[in-house]
Amino acid sequence: MIKEISGVEIELVKGDIANQPDITAIVNAANARLQAGGGVAGAIHRAAGPGLEEECRKYAPIEPGQAVITGGHNLPNRYVIHTLGPVYGVDKPEEKLLADCYRNSFRLAEENDVESIAFPAISTGYFRYPLEQATAVAMRTVLEMIPELKKVKKIRFVLFSDSDLVVYEAELARLTSG
Ligand code: AR6
């Protein structure tokens, strides 16, 4: 699904965040230490190679809601934006912290002239944020940010399963209808 809002394209796809060659910056659902780990972070670090962990060392540790930017190393993307989502039920207030992840990622994207950015569903894996709730926060925050964006022209959400994609599609349709 693709929707254009105020000149910015929002695209929802099923896929692997580490395989988005046409995107300037991909966002990593990182851990505080900015190390490889599993899920999204594992996939990104595997594809980027050891240079990424090395570059990350100087920024670690980060706090929930914070974001930092590095090069893409062996990835096809110019940048990786690493953000730490809240652990559901532990890091509070979780809605604000999750929204901060998206806001701070956009801030770094804008500062670095990023035209296209791809997000995974931050916090919805190992960090157990219920997908429907996380989707609502992600989508609402993105729609709030769009009027402030000067550089970013394309926002892609990369979902890992068909069922996750359906939830995102329903939320985007709901928020942009009428
Ligand atoms: N591409 C796109 N989405 C993916 C991929 C992929 N390659 N792999 C998983 N997902 P998670 P979190 C989906 O756990 O909850 C790590 O170990 C997944 O199905 O990667 O923020 C880190 O080191 C889920 O919907 O991120 C941290 O310690 C979503 O991406 C911790 O997990 C996020 O899953 C971060 O946990």
Side-chain angles (χ1 to χ4, degrees):
M1 176 190 266
I2 300 185
K3 290 236 177 190
E4 197 181 303
I5 298 168
S6 309
V8 177
E9 202 175 277
I10 300 184
E11 189 182 8
L12 311 180
V13 302
K14 180 182 144 185
D16 178 358
I17 191 76
N19 185 21
Q20 304 297 321
D22 58 330
I23 292 287
T24 316
I26 59 169
V27 176
N28 181 14
N31 48 68
R33 301 171 71 83
L34 301 176
Q35 290 176 348
V40 165
I44 288 177
H45 279 273
R46 264 195 306 281
L52 182 59
E53 260 193 352
E54 208 175 302
E55 187 184 357
C56 280
R57 216 171 287 149
K58 62 176 179 280
Y59 298 114
I62 63 169
E63 301 286 323
Q66 208 186 329
V68 298
I69 190 165
T70 65
H73 296 264
N74 296 339
L75 283 159
N77 317 97
R78 195 178 319 149
Y79 300 112
V80 179
I81 295 173
H82 309 258
T83 188
L84 177 62
V87 177
Y88 192 74
V90 176
D91 299 314
K92 301 200 172 182
E94 46 224 355
E95 271 195 29
K96 177 194 177 287
L97 293 173
L98 186 59
D100 283 348
C101 290
Y102 290 92
R103 283 193 281 261
N104 287 325
S105 296
F106 278 120
R107 183 179 48 77
L108 288 173
E110 287 282 306
E111 284 171 11
N112 289 277
D113 292 335
V114 166
E115 270 186 38
S116 55
I117 185 167
F119 288 96
I122 299 161
S123 281
T124 66
Y126 286 95
F127 287 175
R128 300 184 307 273
Y129 209 120
L131 186 82
E132 280 80 4
Q133 291 176 41
T135 304
V137 174
M139 210 58 92
R140 191 171 64 229
T141 308
V142 165
L143 294 182
E144 281 168 11
M145 290 296 295
I146 281 180
E148 295 174 31
L149 300 177
K150 296 189 170 58
K151 309 286 182 180
V152 175
K153 293 289 168 219
K154 184 187 187 81
I155 302 163
R156 179 179 292 162
F157 288 100
V158 181
L159 290 318
F160 213 39
S161 69
D162 286 319
S163 55
D164 290 359
L165 179 60
V166 165
V167 171
Y168 264 73
E169 286 179 343
E171 185 67 3
L172 182 58
R174 192 178 73 78
L175 290 177
T176 57
S177 67

